[in-house]
Amino acid sequence: MQKAKSNDNPNQTKHAHWKNVKKYTPFYLMLILPVIMLGVFSYGPMYGIIIAFKDFSPGLGMWRSPWNNFDHFTRMFNDFLFLRALRNTIWISLLKIIISFPAPIIFALLLNEVRQMTFKKITQSVSYLPHFMSWVILSSMIVEVFSPQRGIINYFIGLFGVEPIHFLASKAAFVPILVGTDIWKELGYAAIIYLATMSAIDPGLYEAADMDGANRFHKMIHITIPSIMPMIIVLFILRLGAILNAGFDQILNLYNPMVYEVADIIDTYVYRAGLEQFQLDYATAVGLFKNIVGILLIVFANMLIRRKSEHGIW
Amino acid sequence: MKHWWKNMLIALLAAVIAGCNADSGAESEVDVGELPEPGDFSDELSIQLSGSWTQGNIEDNNWVQQRLEEMFNIEIVNSKMDTWNADEVSLAVASGDLPDTFSFTAASLSTQEFYQNDLTRTIPREMIEKYAPKYAQMLDETPPGWEMNKAPDSDDEYLALTGIQSHTEGLLWTSTFRLDWLEELGIDPPGDIEPVGTEGGLERIYFTDEAYTLDELEEILRAFTFDDPNGNGKNDTYGLLPYNDQLHWMNTIMGAHGVAPGYNLEEDGEIKAAEISNRYKEALKRLAKWYDMGLMDPEWTTLDVEKAWEKYQIGNTGYFTAQRSYVAMEDWTTMRAPQNLILADEEAKLLVTAPEIGPDGDQGVGSWMPVTTLGQSYHISKDVTDEELARILQIFDFVNHDDEARWTLYGEVGEHSEWQGEPDESAIIINDEYPAEEGDMGFWAYNFRTYPGERLTWLTSQYTLELMDKFFTRDDVVENMLIRPHREDLFEETHITELQQRYSGQLDTIVEEFRMRAIVGEIDIDQEWDSYVQNWLNNGGQEILDELEKAPLVSDLLSE
Amino acid sequence: MKTEAKGKITLFEFLNMTGIFLFSIAVLYPFWNTFILSFSDAEQASNLGMNLWPENWTTIAYEYIFTFSNVGIAYLNTIWRTVIGTLLILLITILAAYPLSRRDLPYRNTITIIFLIAMFFSGGIIPDYLLVRNLGLLDSRWALVLPSAVNVFNIIIMRNYFMTLDKGIEESAIMDGASYFTILRKIILPLSKPVVVTIALWAAVFHWNEWFHAMVYIQDDTKEVLQTLVRDMLINVSPTAEAAQVSGTGQNTDLLLSNVRAATVMVSIGPIILVYPFAQKYFIKGIMIGSLKG
């Protein structure tokens, strides 16, 4: 926002301010349609959040159902399994942020270095494929790959005389498998935006660097990465906001009671209890908690980043 | 003139009062005499019908719909929600968009909760007797009949219509062994055996109503695992192939310890959930011992039941539990174990026995329904008027209780469907070119899950029926081998459903985790047992047990 | 790179390409496996382990799907919603992103935060459903595209991209008397092709895969979309449903196994795979050529 200088006359400031706003009329006109849609379809139904603080009864409806004194929230934090799920959610999510988040960036950088167009085209389109497969389908293949009896991984480690390991029932192996399969599924699709951003880099920059005798690595460090940095930062902040979503579909299709201790996340726990269906009020409270944590993290991360650079979300 | 005015005024007043009464609907007394007589369909009504198989695949103006509309002078508005889908059901309930009649297969509210939430109306007994006489007769004949689904504080109002689940009577599950392996190993069957049928694989499935003891089972599982029963010289077989998402694989073994998972029981003079009872603990210890001995396929912790069926079909498993309809090779079960192997491998033979006998002589499996075969509820939505209810009751009585209405399920036998075997004695199978349910034909679309009279025979093959007669529904078998809960809230008089909904997430997680880790030996059962039980009680279990004390004893319910 | 000879492959390039190649094999496998399963008979489909080639080619699973479901209509509906839905998302995203990319716009932060809040808080499915019902959109295809038209994530990404553009050209256009609408259309958008194409792709994939709204808002069979069909096949008919265990109804379960599931997946993603090479031509113009110029 353009701020009027503090030593200006207040009246003048106001006047200048409105004149200023008027100048931006075309922009506000553009915003009309998005804001109307946002108002109707996002803010319109937002009153539903109140059932997080109520004992929802379908007969009474959302407005008339009685308030319940934060009972849902007390219940959440008195349930040791919920707390365990919260801990697992944060841990798995952090690992995914640290490992899965940079992976597509590296992939995009590497792909960017390939000069054979056909190879590049084919590999790039192949890399999207798993994104289109649902976890229901992928999980049955993953189970086969890690099977102690038929799995290819156990076949290879068997060549070195290692006894078969039942990876998916092992607490130590399960979370790394989650992170690995997550990368495997989403890497190519997630790389698209970085490739798109790279394509906007002014070729002149590279040419100038060539003149200076910069090698491939220098160009990557000094031109490519800085150019995609704003995009990386924004995606990173948004990813932080989703920290309490650790991959519901993936875990639901891969886990079993042997690994609940490390793999049970908030969403799977709430799902197993059938809470989504029959305790909409409780499920809404859980969702509200997740989102408040998410938005707090975004605000915090944005604040930190704004101190160092100008690329924030606001 | 004066009198004329007076009469007019009285008539007007009466009409207004009557009008008010009609408006207040369910709360006022219904004057059944005012309603059209049974069979009087002169008013055309529009009714939104849904049933137990309504899964959103119905097409408008389907074959069954047209016939019903003509018969009862109604316009059927088809409900296209999927009543088997939990998301759709919960949305319909929460937003109050319910069809006029409904019976959800996806778990939802209890009958009491529907009523308390003002979503359903009551049904007067007088109307049931007048408009649904066949249904009324079924209730008369089947205890506890009229006690089911009764409205609170009322003797003649009902919250829902009740179904009869005659297909779940008696034992559903029992044990099967690879008979060819037993022969190879020189192990005798526990009693005389006879084939279930004469063709199509049934001639290789043998049945006996005798059983092995648990110790004998242990020896057999050991031999299945280590004595090369398939004679290929490789140590590639296992006795047991459990799965991780259901408990049916251990039904009979639990039963041999006198416990049925999911039910409550009395032990040491107090009420307990099966999962915290000493009998369950003993059963777990035995399973843990077997796992330690190597009798179980170690991959089971990551196999769901479908994968387990597929794996059984490879032919490396010796023992598997099965429903009676599986071993009778009903059409809908052919991809399931163990009969999938019979179809895949012409050398394979199965032995079906009674459930194993435990150390204290216990034998059996949990019953499908806790107390009576009466179960399932057919609800009438709140906005249904008395006149509509009268029509609905007549349609209900016809499609669900009149044998003439077979066409609502199977169309015309000979044209749309065929007898599987002997006419009138075997199951009916809908021809391939028609949708088995709903679609443009509308079969099963308006029916309730209830199988009174001869209906059971329409959907059950003669082999299943024979097995039921010979063993699974025999009086002494039902008496001795069917494990029922100790107490059951049959009439929904307590808050158990509510508590279970609230705590099931915690309790199930505690139980599942302990069970699986105990079996594979990650947990020392003796050492951890007390803290496990305490944990269970502290996380809502105690509250549920306390509430359960208020529910009637199943033995009392049965003797009535 | 122009200084390097075209034909020579350096060690780095060799390792790089080998790595990318191996990764491609790894991601190709599940697709190949599904493809093979869809043409296998039930017997082979139920064989556990790796399937690399079908023993007997059969189209029985496809016949089943095409006989018992409205795949044709579902395709049309899915294509409709993908096209309209993508255009709508693009329109709204561009209209919101451009003003919000102007650092000098008064109330910019407030508006951004209003958008952000909507990304995080929603009233849940009941009020959403009631809203759609009250707008009279139940059983209308518009219910599939209108509620999801505002995608805040996309708006922020596009806004950020716009912010990285050189402001110089814009300023000179204003000097020439061009309106902001013209600038957006004639200057900003052409310069932003890569991000527009990316967001169009995201939106299209979202609409192609979306099933929940379709399940909840659409009941009329003639308006059913592909993914609700797929979901029915993948999950709902799972023979393990408790109720199905004792329901004696004669469902033909011979086919409800891996091969039908695989065929369903092929039917639902097949078009994307087939159309992709053609779309990629345009896509590459937007995305890849630029990056090659290095």
Side-chain angles (χ1 to χ4, degrees), chain B residues 53 58 80 85 87-88 91 94-95 97 105 167 172 246 248 305 310 313 323 332 334-336 432 437, chain C residues 46 48 68 126 129 133 215-216 219 221 238-240 243-246 249 251 253-254 257-258 261:
Chain B
W53 286 274
I58 190 84
K80 290 183 178 160
N85 179 300
D87 286 318
E88 284 188 52
L91 190 64
S95 65
D97 274 0
T105 297
H167 60 307
L172 275 177
Q246 294 177 10
H248 301 308
V305 67
E310 290 180 1
Q313 200 183 333
Q323 282 184 40
W332 54 281
T334 48
M335 290 310 272
R336 303 183 183 194
D432 277 346
E437 290 159 14
Chain C
S46 64
L48 297 171
F68 281 99
I126 310 170
Y129 172 82
R133 191 185 65 181
M215 177 182 89
V216 170
Q219 308 214 306
D221 284 344
S238 164
T240 57
Q245 287 190 8
V246 286
T249 69
Q251 289 261 19
T253 46
D254 290 4
L257 270 173
S258 333
R261 291 186 173 181

Short mmCIF file of all heavy atoms in Angstrom, two decimals, chain B residues 53 58 80 85 87-88 91 94-95 97 105 167 172 246 248 305 310 313 323 332 334-336 432 437, chain C residues 46 48 68 126 129 133 215-216 219 221 238-240 243-246 249 251 253-254 257-258 261:
data_model
loop_
_atom_site.label_atom_id
_atom_site.label_comp_id
_atom_site.label_asym_id
_atom_site.label_seq_id
_atom_site.Cartn_x
_atom_site.Cartn_y
_atom_site.Cartn_z
N TRP B 53 -31.26 -51.37 -0.91
CA TRP B 53 -30.27 -51.53 -1.98
C TRP B 53 -30.16 -50.30 -2.86
O TRP B 53 -29.57 -50.34 -3.93
CB TRP B 53 -30.60 -52.77 -2.82
CG TRP B 53 -30.26 -54.01 -2.07
CD1 TRP B 53 -29.05 -54.63 -2.02
CD2 TRP B 53 -31.13 -54.75 -1.23
NE1 TRP B 53 -29.12 -55.71 -1.18
CE2 TRP B 53 -30.39 -55.82 -0.69
CE3 TRP B 53 -32.47 -54.62 -0.86
CZ2 TRP B 53 -30.93 -56.76 0.19
CZ3 TRP B 53 -33.02 -55.54 0.01
CH2 TRP B 53 -32.24 -56.60 0.52
N ILE B 58 -30.38 -46.10 -9.97
CA ILE B 58 -31.73 -46.30 -10.48
C ILE B 58 -31.98 -45.41 -11.70
O ILE B 58 -31.47 -44.29 -11.78
CB ILE B 58 -32.75 -45.98 -9.36
CG1 ILE B 58 -34.15 -46.41 -9.75
CG2 ILE B 58 -32.74 -44.51 -9.01
CD1 ILE B 58 -34.44 -47.83 -9.48
N LYS B 80 -31.90 -40.97 -5.64
CA LYS B 80 -30.66 -41.33 -6.31
C LYS B 80 -29.45 -41.23 -5.39
O LYS B 80 -28.31 -41.26 -5.82
CB LYS B 80 -30.47 -40.49 -7.56
CG LYS B 80 -31.50 -40.95 -8.58
CD LYS B 80 -31.43 -40.29 -9.90
CE LYS B 80 -32.49 -40.91 -10.80
NZ LYS B 80 -32.83 -40.05 -11.92
N ASN B 85 -23.21 -45.44 0.91
CA ASN B 85 -22.05 -44.56 0.98
C ASN B 85 -22.16 -43.64 2.20
O ASN B 85 -23.08 -42.84 2.32
CB ASN B 85 -21.99 -43.73 -0.31
CG ASN B 85 -20.83 -42.77 -0.31
OD1 ASN B 85 -20.74 -41.89 0.55
ND2 ASN B 85 -19.94 -42.92 -1.25
N ASP B 87 -20.56 -41.02 3.22
CA ASP B 87 -20.55 -39.57 3.00
C ASP B 87 -21.91 -39.06 2.58
O ASP B 87 -22.41 -38.07 3.09
CB ASP B 87 -19.52 -39.19 1.91
CG ASP B 87 -18.10 -39.30 2.43
OD1 ASP B 87 -17.87 -38.89 3.58
OD2 ASP B 87 -17.25 -39.83 1.70
N GLU B 88 -22.50 -39.76 1.61
CA GLU B 88 -23.80 -39.31 1.12
C GLU B 88 -24.86 -39.42 2.20
O GLU B 88 -25.72 -38.55 2.34
CB GLU B 88 -24.20 -40.11 -0.13
CG GLU B 88 -23.44 -39.68 -1.36
CD GLU B 88 -23.98 -40.33 -2.63
OE1 GLU B 88 -25.19 -40.25 -2.88
OE2 GLU B 88 -23.17 -40.94 -3.35
N LEU B 91 -24.46 -36.70 4.86
CA LEU B 91 -24.88 -35.40 4.33
C LEU B 91 -26.40 -35.30 4.29
O LEU B 91 -26.98 -34.28 4.68
CB LEU B 91 -24.30 -35.20 2.93
CG LEU B 91 -24.47 -33.80 2.38
CD1 LEU B 91 -23.71 -32.81 3.23
CD2 LEU B 91 -24.01 -33.75 0.95
N ALA B 94 -27.55 -34.88 7.88
CA ALA B 94 -27.22 -33.59 8.47
C ALA B 94 -28.01 -32.44 7.83
O ALA B 94 -28.33 -31.46 8.49
CB ALA B 94 -25.73 -33.32 8.35
N SER B 95 -28.33 -32.58 6.55
CA SER B 95 -29.06 -31.49 5.90
C SER B 95 -30.55 -31.74 5.91
O SER B 95 -31.32 -30.90 5.47
CB SER B 95 -28.56 -31.32 4.45
OG SER B 95 -28.87 -32.47 3.71
N ASP B 97 -32.26 -33.74 4.13
CA ASP B 97 -32.82 -34.11 2.82
C ASP B 97 -33.01 -35.61 2.73
O ASP B 97 -32.22 -36.31 2.09
CB ASP B 97 -31.87 -33.67 1.69
CG ASP B 97 -32.14 -32.23 1.31
OD1 ASP B 97 -33.03 -31.62 1.91
OD2 ASP B 97 -31.45 -31.74 0.40
N THR B 105 -27.75 -48.63 4.56
CA THR B 105 -26.78 -49.69 4.79
C THR B 105 -25.50 -49.10 5.39
O THR B 105 -24.91 -49.69 6.29
CB THR B 105 -26.48 -50.43 3.48
OG1 THR B 105 -27.68 -51.05 3.04
CG2 THR B 105 -25.41 -51.50 3.69
N HIS B 167 -31.55 -64.95 6.78
CA HIS B 167 -30.34 -65.50 6.17
C HIS B 167 -29.15 -65.49 7.11
O HIS B 167 -28.10 -66.00 6.78
CB HIS B 167 -30.00 -64.70 4.90
CG HIS B 167 -29.76 -63.25 5.15
ND1 HIS B 167 -30.66 -62.46 5.82
CD2 HIS B 167 -28.72 -62.45 4.84
CE1 HIS B 167 -30.18 -61.23 5.90
NE2 HIS B 167 -29.00 -61.20 5.32
N LEU B 172 -22.65 -68.77 10.85
CA LEU B 172 -22.30 -68.37 9.48
C LEU B 172 -20.93 -68.92 9.11
O LEU B 172 -20.69 -69.30 7.97
CB LEU B 172 -22.26 -66.85 9.36
CG LEU B 172 -23.57 -66.14 9.09
CD1 LEU B 172 -23.34 -64.65 9.08
CD2 LEU B 172 -24.15 -66.58 7.75
N GLN B 246 -9.98 -57.54 9.02
CA GLN B 246 -11.17 -58.16 9.61
C GLN B 246 -10.71 -59.27 10.54
O GLN B 246 -9.55 -59.67 10.51
CB GLN B 246 -12.06 -58.76 8.51
CG GLN B 246 -12.66 -57.70 7.60
CD GLN B 246 -13.48 -58.31 6.49
OE1 GLN B 246 -13.77 -59.51 6.49
NE2 GLN B 246 -13.88 -57.49 5.54
N HIS B 248 -12.40 -62.35 10.82
CA HIS B 248 -13.04 -63.64 10.54
C HIS B 248 -12.05 -64.80 10.55
O HIS B 248 -12.42 -65.93 10.83
CB HIS B 248 -13.75 -63.59 9.19
CG HIS B 248 -14.80 -62.54 9.12
ND1 HIS B 248 -15.80 -62.41 10.06
CD2 HIS B 248 -15.00 -61.53 8.25
CE1 HIS B 248 -16.57 -61.39 9.76
NE2 HIS B 248 -16.10 -60.82 8.66
N VAL B 305 -8.18 -58.49 3.41
CA VAL B 305 -8.85 -59.77 3.16
C VAL B 305 -8.84 -60.13 1.68
O VAL B 305 -8.67 -61.30 1.31
CB VAL B 305 -10.27 -59.77 3.76
CG1 VAL B 305 -11.18 -58.80 3.03
CG2 VAL B 305 -10.87 -61.17 3.75
N GLU B 310 -6.56 -63.70 -2.62
CA GLU B 310 -5.70 -63.92 -3.78
C GLU B 310 -4.53 -64.83 -3.41
O GLU B 310 -4.14 -65.71 -4.17
CB GLU B 310 -5.19 -62.58 -4.32
CG GLU B 310 -6.27 -61.75 -4.97
CD GLU B 310 -5.77 -60.40 -5.50
OE1 GLU B 310 -4.56 -60.14 -5.37
OE2 GLU B 310 -6.59 -59.63 -6.03
N GLN B 313 -5.33 -68.47 -3.06
CA GLN B 313 -5.52 -69.14 -4.35
C GLN B 313 -4.23 -69.69 -4.94
O GLN B 313 -4.24 -70.59 -5.77
CB GLN B 313 -6.17 -68.15 -5.34
CG GLN B 313 -6.83 -68.86 -6.50
CD GLN B 313 -7.41 -67.88 -7.50
OE1 GLN B 313 -7.76 -66.77 -7.16
NE2 GLN B 313 -7.52 -68.30 -8.74
N GLN B 323 -17.54 -68.85 5.24
CA GLN B 323 -18.99 -68.87 5.49
C GLN B 323 -19.59 -70.10 4.83
O GLN B 323 -19.06 -70.62 3.86
CB GLN B 323 -19.65 -67.64 4.89
CG GLN B 323 -19.49 -66.37 5.70
CD GLN B 323 -20.28 -65.21 5.07
OE1 GLN B 323 -21.39 -65.39 4.60
NE2 GLN B 323 -19.68 -64.04 5.09
N TRP B 332 -22.02 -65.54 -5.80
CA TRP B 332 -21.37 -64.27 -5.43
C TRP B 332 -20.10 -64.47 -4.63
O TRP B 332 -19.44 -63.51 -4.25
CB TRP B 332 -22.34 -63.38 -4.66
CG TRP B 332 -22.96 -64.03 -3.46
CD1 TRP B 332 -23.99 -64.91 -3.46
CD2 TRP B 332 -22.58 -63.87 -2.10
NE1 TRP B 332 -24.28 -65.31 -2.19
CE2 TRP B 332 -23.43 -64.68 -1.32
CE3 TRP B 332 -21.60 -63.12 -1.43
CZ2 TRP B 332 -23.34 -64.77 0.08
CZ3 TRP B 332 -21.52 -63.20 -0.04
CH2 TRP B 332 -22.37 -64.02 0.69
N THR B 334 -17.50 -66.72 -5.54
CA THR B 334 -16.50 -67.56 -6.20
C THR B 334 -15.10 -66.97 -6.24
O THR B 334 -14.14 -67.69 -6.46
CB THR B 334 -16.93 -67.87 -7.65
OG1 THR B 334 -17.33 -66.65 -8.25
CG2 THR B 334 -18.09 -68.83 -7.66
N MET B 335 -14.96 -65.65 -6.03
CA MET B 335 -13.61 -65.09 -6.00
C MET B 335 -13.02 -65.12 -4.60
O MET B 335 -11.91 -64.66 -4.37
CB MET B 335 -13.61 -63.65 -6.52
CG MET B 335 -13.88 -63.51 -8.00
SD MET B 335 -12.87 -64.58 -9.04
CE MET B 335 -11.44 -63.52 -9.30
N ARG B 336 -13.76 -65.62 -3.66
CA ARG B 336 -13.27 -65.61 -2.28
C ARG B 336 -12.62 -66.94 -1.93
O ARG B 336 -12.94 -67.97 -2.49
CB ARG B 336 -14.43 -65.34 -1.32
CG ARG B 336 -15.13 -64.05 -1.64
CD ARG B 336 -16.22 -63.75 -0.67
NE ARG B 336 -16.91 -62.51 -1.09
CZ ARG B 336 -17.73 -61.84 -0.32
NH1 ARG B 336 -17.99 -62.24 0.90
NH2 ARG B 336 -18.31 -60.75 -0.77
N ASP B 432 -27.61 -62.25 -17.28
CA ASP B 432 -26.50 -61.32 -17.44
C ASP B 432 -26.87 -60.00 -18.11
O ASP B 432 -26.26 -58.98 -17.83
CB ASP B 432 -25.38 -61.98 -18.25
CG ASP B 432 -24.52 -62.85 -17.36
OD1 ASP B 432 -24.65 -62.71 -16.12
OD2 ASP B 432 -23.74 -63.66 -17.89
N GLU B 437 -29.23 -55.16 -9.82
CA GLU B 437 -29.97 -54.27 -8.93
C GLU B 437 -30.18 -52.94 -9.65
O GLU B 437 -29.34 -52.50 -10.40
CB GLU B 437 -29.18 -54.00 -7.64
CG GLU B 437 -29.09 -55.22 -6.74
CD GLU B 437 -27.92 -55.12 -5.77
OE1 GLU B 437 -27.37 -54.02 -5.62
OE2 GLU B 437 -27.57 -56.15 -5.19
N SER C 46 -5.26 -62.21 -10.53
CA SER C 46 -5.20 -62.56 -9.12
C SER C 46 -3.87 -63.20 -8.74
O SER C 46 -3.67 -63.59 -7.61
CB SER C 46 -6.36 -63.48 -8.75
OG SER C 46 -6.23 -64.69 -9.43
N LEU C 48 -0.33 -62.91 -7.53
CA LEU C 48 0.43 -61.86 -6.87
C LEU C 48 1.79 -61.75 -7.53
O LEU C 48 2.22 -62.62 -8.27
CB LEU C 48 0.58 -62.20 -5.39
CG LEU C 48 -0.74 -62.27 -4.64
CD1 LEU C 48 -0.53 -62.83 -3.26
CD2 LEU C 48 -1.37 -60.90 -4.55
N PHE C 68 -21.78 -52.05 -18.33
CA PHE C 68 -22.54 -51.75 -17.14
C PHE C 68 -22.45 -50.33 -16.62
O PHE C 68 -22.82 -50.03 -15.52
CB PHE C 68 -22.18 -52.74 -16.03
CG PHE C 68 -22.88 -54.05 -16.23
CD1 PHE C 68 -22.21 -55.11 -16.81
CD2 PHE C 68 -24.21 -54.19 -15.88
CE1 PHE C 68 -22.86 -56.32 -17.01
CE2 PHE C 68 -24.86 -55.39 -16.09
CZ PHE C 68 -24.18 -56.46 -16.66
N ILE C 126 -21.81 -29.47 4.84
CA ILE C 126 -23.26 -29.24 4.97
C ILE C 126 -23.66 -27.86 4.46
O ILE C 126 -24.53 -27.76 3.60
CB ILE C 126 -23.74 -29.41 6.42
CG1 ILE C 126 -23.25 -30.73 6.98
CG2 ILE C 126 -25.25 -29.36 6.49
CD1 ILE C 126 -23.48 -30.85 8.46
N TYR C 129 -23.36 -27.70 0.77
CA TYR C 129 -24.45 -28.40 0.10
C TYR C 129 -25.73 -27.56 0.13
O TYR C 129 -26.42 -27.42 -0.88
CB TYR C 129 -24.66 -29.75 0.79
CG TYR C 129 -25.87 -30.51 0.33
CD1 TYR C 129 -25.82 -31.28 -0.83
CD2 TYR C 129 -27.06 -30.48 1.04
CE1 TYR C 129 -26.93 -31.99 -1.26
CE2 TYR C 129 -28.17 -31.18 0.62
CZ TYR C 129 -28.10 -31.93 -0.52
OH TYR C 129 -29.19 -32.63 -0.95
N ARG C 133 -27.82 -26.14 -2.99
CA ARG C 133 -29.23 -26.47 -3.12
C ARG C 133 -30.07 -25.20 -3.22
O ARG C 133 -30.94 -25.07 -4.07
CB ARG C 133 -29.68 -27.30 -1.92
CG ARG C 133 -31.05 -27.91 -2.10
CD ARG C 133 -31.51 -28.62 -0.87
NE ARG C 133 -31.71 -27.70 0.25
CZ ARG C 133 -32.10 -28.09 1.46
NH1 ARG C 133 -32.29 -29.36 1.71
NH2 ARG C 133 -32.26 -27.21 2.42
N MET C 215 -20.15 -36.46 -6.63
CA MET C 215 -20.92 -37.46 -5.88
C MET C 215 -22.04 -36.80 -5.10
O MET C 215 -23.16 -37.31 -5.03
CB MET C 215 -19.97 -38.20 -4.93
CG MET C 215 -20.65 -39.21 -4.06
SD MET C 215 -19.47 -39.99 -2.92
CE MET C 215 -19.56 -38.87 -1.54
N VAL C 216 -21.74 -35.65 -4.51
CA VAL C 216 -22.69 -35.03 -3.61
C VAL C 216 -23.74 -34.19 -4.35
O VAL C 216 -24.91 -34.18 -4.00
CB VAL C 216 -21.93 -34.15 -2.59
CG1 VAL C 216 -22.88 -33.31 -1.80
CG2 VAL C 216 -21.10 -35.03 -1.68
N GLN C 219 -27.04 -36.23 -9.01
CA GLN C 219 -27.67 -37.54 -8.85
C GLN C 219 -28.18 -38.07 -10.18
O GLN C 219 -28.30 -39.27 -10.35
CB GLN C 219 -28.82 -37.41 -7.86
CG GLN C 219 -28.37 -36.75 -6.58
CD GLN C 219 -29.06 -37.28 -5.37
OE1 GLN C 219 -30.27 -37.30 -5.29
NE2 GLN C 219 -28.28 -37.73 -4.41
N ASP C 221 -28.23 -39.51 -13.60
CA ASP C 221 -27.25 -40.33 -14.31
C ASP C 221 -26.69 -39.67 -15.56
O ASP C 221 -25.56 -39.90 -15.95
CB ASP C 221 -27.89 -41.67 -14.73
CG ASP C 221 -28.00 -42.59 -13.55
OD1 ASP C 221 -27.33 -42.31 -12.54
OD2 ASP C 221 -28.75 -43.57 -13.64
N SER C 238 -16.29 -52.69 -3.35
CA SER C 238 -15.38 -53.59 -2.65
C SER C 238 -16.18 -54.72 -2.02
O SER C 238 -17.08 -54.50 -1.23
CB SER C 238 -14.64 -52.83 -1.56
OG SER C 238 -14.06 -53.75 -0.69
N PRO C 239 -15.86 -55.97 -2.40
CA PRO C 239 -16.66 -57.08 -1.90
C PRO C 239 -16.49 -57.30 -0.41
O PRO C 239 -17.08 -58.19 0.16
CB PRO C 239 -16.13 -58.27 -2.70
CG PRO C 239 -14.79 -57.88 -3.17
CD PRO C 239 -14.78 -56.39 -3.26
N THR C 240 -15.66 -56.51 0.23
CA THR C 240 -15.47 -56.73 1.65
C THR C 240 -16.43 -55.95 2.51
O THR C 240 -16.42 -56.05 3.71
CB THR C 240 -14.04 -56.34 2.07
OG1 THR C 240 -13.84 -54.99 1.72
CG2 THR C 240 -13.02 -57.21 1.41
N ALA C 243 -21.76 -55.36 4.85
CA ALA C 243 -23.13 -55.70 4.50
C ALA C 243 -23.18 -56.72 3.38
O ALA C 243 -24.05 -57.58 3.35
CB ALA C 243 -23.87 -54.44 4.10
N ALA C 244 -22.23 -56.62 2.45
CA ALA C 244 -22.27 -57.51 1.31
C ALA C 244 -21.99 -58.95 1.72
O ALA C 244 -22.33 -59.89 1.03
CB ALA C 244 -21.26 -57.05 0.27
N GLN C 245 -21.35 -59.11 2.86
CA GLN C 245 -20.98 -60.45 3.26
C GLN C 245 -22.17 -61.37 3.45
O GLN C 245 -22.08 -62.55 3.22
CB GLN C 245 -20.20 -60.39 4.56
CG GLN C 245 -18.83 -59.86 4.29
CD GLN C 245 -17.97 -60.02 5.49
OE1 GLN C 245 -18.37 -60.66 6.45
NE2 GLN C 245 -16.81 -59.47 5.43
N VAL C 246 -23.23 -60.81 3.95
CA VAL C 246 -24.37 -61.69 4.16
C VAL C 246 -25.54 -61.31 3.27
O VAL C 246 -26.58 -61.91 3.35
CB VAL C 246 -24.83 -61.70 5.62
CG1 VAL C 246 -23.86 -62.50 6.46
CG2 VAL C 246 -25.00 -60.32 6.14
N THR C 249 -27.59 -61.04 -2.47
CA THR C 249 -27.95 -60.65 -3.82
C THR C 249 -26.88 -61.06 -4.80
O THR C 249 -25.70 -60.98 -4.53
CB THR C 249 -28.16 -59.13 -3.91
OG1 THR C 249 -26.90 -58.53 -3.77
CG2 THR C 249 -29.09 -58.66 -2.86
N GLN C 251 -24.71 -60.41 -6.99
CA GLN C 251 -23.75 -59.55 -7.69
C GLN C 251 -22.75 -60.43 -8.41
O GLN C 251 -22.25 -61.38 -7.85
CB GLN C 251 -23.01 -58.70 -6.68
CG GLN C 251 -23.86 -57.64 -6.07
CD GLN C 251 -23.64 -56.30 -6.74
OE1 GLN C 251 -23.13 -56.25 -7.84
NE2 GLN C 251 -24.04 -55.24 -6.08
N THR C 253 -19.51 -61.09 -8.97
CA THR C 253 -18.23 -60.68 -8.40
C THR C 253 -17.04 -61.28 -9.13
O THR C 253 -15.92 -61.00 -8.79
CB THR C 253 -18.14 -61.05 -6.92
OG1 THR C 253 -18.59 -62.38 -6.77
CG2 THR C 253 -18.96 -60.11 -6.08
N ASP C 254 -17.30 -62.09 -10.15
CA ASP C 254 -16.18 -62.68 -10.90
C ASP C 254 -15.21 -61.61 -11.36
O ASP C 254 -14.02 -61.82 -11.47
CB ASP C 254 -16.69 -63.36 -12.18
CG ASP C 254 -17.47 -64.59 -11.84
OD1 ASP C 254 -17.65 -64.83 -10.64
OD2 ASP C 254 -17.89 -65.29 -12.76
N LEU C 257 -12.50 -57.46 -9.53
CA LEU C 257 -11.18 -57.60 -8.93
C LEU C 257 -10.18 -56.76 -9.67
O LEU C 257 -10.53 -55.87 -10.44
CB LEU C 257 -10.80 -59.07 -8.89
CG LEU C 257 -11.25 -59.75 -7.59
CD1 LEU C 257 -11.00 -61.21 -7.66
CD2 LEU C 257 -10.50 -59.16 -6.41
N SER C 258 -8.93 -57.09 -9.43
CA SER C 258 -7.85 -56.23 -9.91
C SER C 258 -7.99 -55.83 -11.36
O SER C 258 -7.69 -54.70 -11.73
CB SER C 258 -6.51 -56.92 -9.71
OG SER C 258 -6.57 -57.81 -8.64
N ARG C 261 -10.54 -53.11 -11.90
CA ARG C 261 -10.01 -51.87 -11.34
C ARG C 261 -8.98 -51.27 -12.28
O ARG C 261 -9.00 -50.07 -12.56
CB ARG C 261 -9.33 -52.15 -10.01
CG ARG C 261 -10.31 -52.53 -8.95
CD ARG C 261 -9.61 -52.64 -7.65
NE ARG C 261 -10.62 -52.85 -6.61
CZ ARG C 261 -10.33 -52.98 -5.34
NH1 ARG C 261 -9.10 -52.91 -4.94
NH2 ARG C 261 -11.29 -53.17 -4.48
#
